[in-house]
Amino acid sequence: ADVALDCKAEKIYYSDFLAVRDSHVPIKKNQITGFIGPSGCGKSTVLKSINRMNDLIRGFRFVGNIHFHGIDIYDSNIDPVSVRRNIGMVFQQPNPFSMSIFENVAFGLRLNRYKGNMQEKVEKALRSAALWKEVKDKLKNNGLSLSGGQQQRLCIARAIATEPRVILMDEPCSALDPIATRQIEELMVELKKQFTVAIVTHNMQQAMRVADQTAFFGVDISKGGRTGYLVEMGP
Ligand code: ADP
Ligand code: ADP
């Protein structure tokens, strides 16, 4: 019952290329699950399977199932858009939209036709992303005018404003300096109180610092291909 997302990736293909096999990752509720392993082992591929991001990629095929709140998100009756709405995602490169800080955070709420107090919601998300104090006097400024670390926290605010249950982060600190990295790490530890968090990282130290459990991936090159697989789940 403490598993928020039971991710069973039996096989994940890009056209006829087998990128991932035999990877069962139980992502626990209100914990941080780290995905670690060498480049190309399929960490991002598994993460993008979880919110059906990969539906947008030609040739992608997921074989297996992912249970989320008791439903299989790969069931043919499930609308991938509704899955993405419940599972926020943050990428390696901070990618705020070229619009005001306020509108960046309001973006998903507007898409959802949120009718309540937008000001309050935006403030709440910015506070949760540990960015409010730095931006409260310049909410009209363009999101792109912020520093890299601030931009990444803005992207986190944008992802959490609609209050998804789960937040996926794909190498969220790889483009940041050590100080901004530490801020984001501290923020992740705060976020898990409210959300379930999964993070891809190639940084073992980072996984040790923040993750409650870690999925260790490897690459199998024995058959001439390069197929990633789960080696083990560990602390
Ligand atoms: P990691 O995140 O562990 O570095 P990825 O999930 O990005 O690994 O990639 C796993 C494998 O899938 C790699 O061999 C990569 O080249 C391949 N791959 C990733 N994205 C695509 C794509 N859109 N089309 C084809 N192959 C892809
Ligand atoms: P419960 O008290 O049974 O967890 P909730 O209303 O909080 O009831 O949750 C409804 C469903 O959403 C349950 O299936 C629960 O497992 C799931 N859920 C609740 N919180 C989270 C979370 N932070 N991350 C993922 N799934 C969650």
Side-chain angles (χ1 to χ4, degrees), residues 162-178:
T162 55
E163 299 180 25
R165 290 180 186 281
V166 181
I167 308 169
L168 308 178
M169 300 192 182
D170 196 351
E171 305 257 10
C173 302
S174 297
L176 306 179
D177 64 61

Side-chain angles (χ1 to χ4, degrees), residues 1 3-5 29-30 68-70 165-166 194-196:
V3 175
L5 272 154
K29 217 192 246 190
N30 297 100
F68 179 48
H69 307 178
R165 290 180 186 281
V166 181
Q194 212 185 327
F195 304 95
T196 297

Side-chain angles (χ1 to χ4, degrees), residues 8-39:
K8 289 183 181 142
E10 286 160 25
K11 291 183 164 55
I12 310 179
Y13 295 93
Y14 290 103
S15 300
D16 51 10
F17 170 62
L18 178 62
V20 176
R21 65 167 171 83
D22 307 318
S23 300
H24 178 192
V25 183
I27 295 176
K28 293 193 182 141
K29 217 192 246 190
N30 297 100
Q31 291 200 351
I32 300 177
T33 299
F35 286 74
I36 197 156
S39 177

